[in-house]
Amino acid sequence: MHHQRGYTVLYTTYYAESNSITTERYTEMKNALMLKGQKKDYQEFHLRKLEFLGSNMKNAVANYFLCIKNHDTSQIFLEKKYVQNGLYYKKCTKITLEECSRIIAGQLDWMKGSRKELLADFYRQATLNNLYPGRVTDYQREMCRYRKGEYVTFTTSIERGVGQCRSITEEPEVKISCLDEDKVLLIYKKAASIPQVVSNMLQGQESQSEDYAFAF
């Protein structure tokens, strides 16, 4: 959990395991999920993520991303994610295309003191650590809710744009494939509860109604 200046940004916490599998194994696993009645919870989508970098070409301590799902300008998110002791912490909030464009352009003053706490958090980190937009990466994914709090994601394509991104909606002129031929990236996620003592401290401070951590 993240504490600063008397307020708290609540995270979705989960464990994750990933592995590269063959396309043959991917087909077998997908068919098995369908036979188990998971079809209604299955979705296919495209995800573009723009990662922010820090000074000296190093990643920020926490990773910040701009994300757009299915090229849909009504589904743009700011995401913060980091890993601590094997546990993933993730928080997302929805933003508009105009807000997204202003962030990429470095116009951040409007985020200062925002009622959306993740925006205010990003403003501080961006100004303190000189964050700037890096390259975009395109993912083609299929995701299934396996059990309550458990998710399986197959990533069938990963393509990274060359050069710095200037727009979340424009296609990079050059893309490089980051996934070996005939391979699929399998990711398994399982929701994890934060320690009760921390939960008690946070009660009533913020709801998680805007959390989209398992949406993509």
Side-chain angles (χ1 to χ4, degrees):
M1 289 294 164
H2 177 79
H3 302 262
Q4 194 159 7
R5 284 192 169 181
Y7 72 76
T8 303
V9 177
L10 294 184
Y11 295 90
T12 293
T13 51
Y14 61 93
Y15 292 102
E17 296 181 11
S18 62
N19 192 26
S20 178
I21 61 175
T22 64
T23 52
E24 182 180 6
R25 179 60 177 151
Y26 147 72
T27 301
E28 292 174 353
M29 294 182 70
K30 180 178 177 179
N31 289 340
L33 287 170
M34 297 300 100
L35 288 174
K36 289 183 178 181
Q38 306 298 331
K39 188 173 183 179
K40 61 183 176 61
D41 293 320
Y42 211 91
Q43 60 168 312
E44 299 183 21
F45 59 93
H46 174 272
L47 181 68
R48 172 168 293 168
K49 300 185 72 169
L50 163 61
E51 182 176 6
F52 285 85
L53 303 176
S55 300
N56 301 320
M57 296 296 290
K58 294 180 181 179
N59 289 348
V61 175
N63 296 101
Y64 293 88
F65 305 89
L66 288 172
C67 310
I68 181 170
K69 189 174 182 180
N70 288 329
H71 304 285
D72 183 351
T73 55
S74 69
Q75 295 194 72
I76 301 177
F77 306 86
L78 175 66
E79 172 188 311
K80 178 181 181 179
K81 182 168 65 175
Y82 68 94
V83 186
Q84 192 172 69
N85 298 324
L87 185 63
Y88 286 79
Y89 293 76
K90 183 176 176 181
K91 178 69 179 178
C92 305
T93 191
K94 220 169 193 180
I95 59 174
T96 67
L97 177 60
E98 180 184 359
E99 290 170 339
C100 176
S101 299
R102 292 169 74 182
I103 292 172
I104 295 175
Q107 301 169 4
L108 306 179
D109 286 348
W110 62 276
M111 305 173 76
K112 185 177 182 180
S114 173
R115 297 181 67 178
K116 289 187 175 182
E117 294 173 354
L118 184 55
L119 299 186
D121 173 75
F122 176 81
Y123 172 82
R124 283 192 306 276
Q125 297 303 321
T127 52
L128 287 172
N129 297 308
N130 299 314
L131 301 186
Y132 62 92
R135 296 171 297 188
V136 298
T137 304
D138 288 317
Y139 303 87
Q140 193 64 41
R141 288 180 170 170
E142 300 172 24
M143 187 174 71
C144 176
R145 182 178 178 273
Y146 181 57
R147 296 189 186 96
K148 183 178 180 180
E150 296 183 52
Y151 299 82
V152 175
T153 300
F154 299 108
T155 302
T156 56
S157 174
I158 305 175
E159 293 183 320
R160 182 163 295 153
V162 176
Q164 190 173 352
C165 174
R166 298 296 179 186
S167 169
I168 197 73
T169 57
E170 293 181 7
E171 290 294 319
E173 292 185 7
V174 179
K175 291 183 181 181
I176 298 174
S177 176
C178 301
L179 200 58
D180 291 338
E181 188 175 355
D182 296 325
K183 293 290 185 179
V184 172
L185 181 63
L186 167 66
I187 302 174
Y188 167 77
K189 296 180 182 180
K190 183 176 182 179
S193 299
I194 61 173
Q196 187 63 46
V197 63
V198 178
S199 179
N200 292 340
M201 292 170 60
L202 300 178
Q203 281 183 2
Q205 293 193 33
E206 181 190 2
S207 71
Q208 291 191 354
S209 59
E210 279 201 337
D211 195 275
Y212 300 92
F214 290 118
F216 49 82

